[in-house]
Amino acid sequence: MTVHVIATGGTIASHWGGAEWTNIDGASLIAELGELPVDVHVTDVAAGPSSNLSVDQMVRIAHSVQTALAEGADGVVVVHGTDTIELTAFTAQLLLGTDDRRAPVVFTGSMRPHSHPHPDGPGNLRDAIAVAAASSEAARGRDVLVCMDGRLHSARFVRKVNAASVDAFDSYPHGPVGS
Ligand code: ASP
């Protein structure tokens, strides 16, 4: 079982070292999770705040997901800043469509930076990998998903609604598709 992780920066990767902010790469974010029950293949395709991503870069990230699936990934996780995660996730949804055989594609990020004493990133990333690695029908054949704070949202409905909470997303007028 191999999950491809595509890292694109965001708050989840932002580390305040006392003098400057640095971007933690995807391999380091994964290494910090300790032992995982799946093999993880990591690629870094962007860094920094997601509000800096151009539409071309969002399309490139969506194509990276498509490539990972074509290479045989059992699931794909995209690590992304939350300011525009809904845009890139929806771009990936448009590119991939809904296919009942498709492996899970799960976007995640965090509201607290990597250097926060109680970061939400590791839990979100661990959850996203668990969903991406799930071979059950509950995870396969879904829309592209956004996994935050224990909930899974469809890329077609998700939006950021509260920048002051780790529970920052909803799917109004629908509920989350999973937890
Ligand atoms: N400014 C950040 C970004 O979108 C916010 C975040 O990741 O939560 O990259």
Side-chain angles (χ1 to χ4, degrees), residues 9-12 14 48-52 80-85 109-112 148 160:
T11 289
I12 190 170
S14 299
S50 69
S51 45
N52 287 355
H80 201 289
T82 64
D83 285 348
T84 63
I85 194 171
S110 76
M111 296 304 293
R112 295 174 176 161
M148 289 288 292
K160 189 174 180 180

Side-chain angles (χ1 to χ4, degrees), residues 18-177:
E20 60 178 1
W21 288 96
T22 53
N23 185 82
I24 308 294
D25 65 16
S28 302
L29 294 176
I30 295 300
E32 287 166 7
L33 299 181
E35 201 151 325
L36 293 168
V38 292
D39 292 331
V40 177
H41 173 95
V42 189
T43 319
D44 289 276
V45 303
S50 69
S51 45
N52 287 355
L53 293 173
S54 65
V55 172
D56 282 352
Q57 283 174 300
M58 290 178 180
V59 171
R60 210 171 309 136
I61 293 166
H63 277 291
S64 303
V65 174
Q66 192 176 42
T67 301
L69 292 171
E71 288 172 355
D74 294 297
V76 180
V77 170
V78 180
V79 177
H80 201 289
T82 64
D83 285 348
T84 63
I85 194 171
E86 65 206 62
L87 302 180
T88 308
F90 188 60
T91 302
Q93 175 66 34
L94 292 177
L95 183 71
L96 301 173
T98 301
D99 171 352
D100 57 11
R101 291 154 307 162
R102 178 167 55 66
V105 175
V106 189
F107 280 64
T108 194
S110 76
M111 296 304 293
R112 295 174 176 161
H114 178 268
S115 44
H116 193 283
H118 303 289
D120 54 328
N124 287 341
L125 185 51
R126 203 185 304 273
D127 286 349
I129 291 171
V131 174
S135 51
S136 70
E137 286 178 15
R140 295 183 75 86
R142 290 274 176 182
D143 288 343
V144 170
L145 299 169
V146 173
C147 177
M148 289 288 292
D149 197 36
R151 294 195 188 84
L152 294 164
H153 299 272
S154 162
R156 284 189 289 161
F157 301 111
V158 69
R159 54 186 192 152
K160 189 174 180 180
V161 292
N162 187 352
S165 169
V166 293
D167 183 14
F169 288 84
D170 77 13
S171 299
Y172 184 82
H174 306 284
V177 294

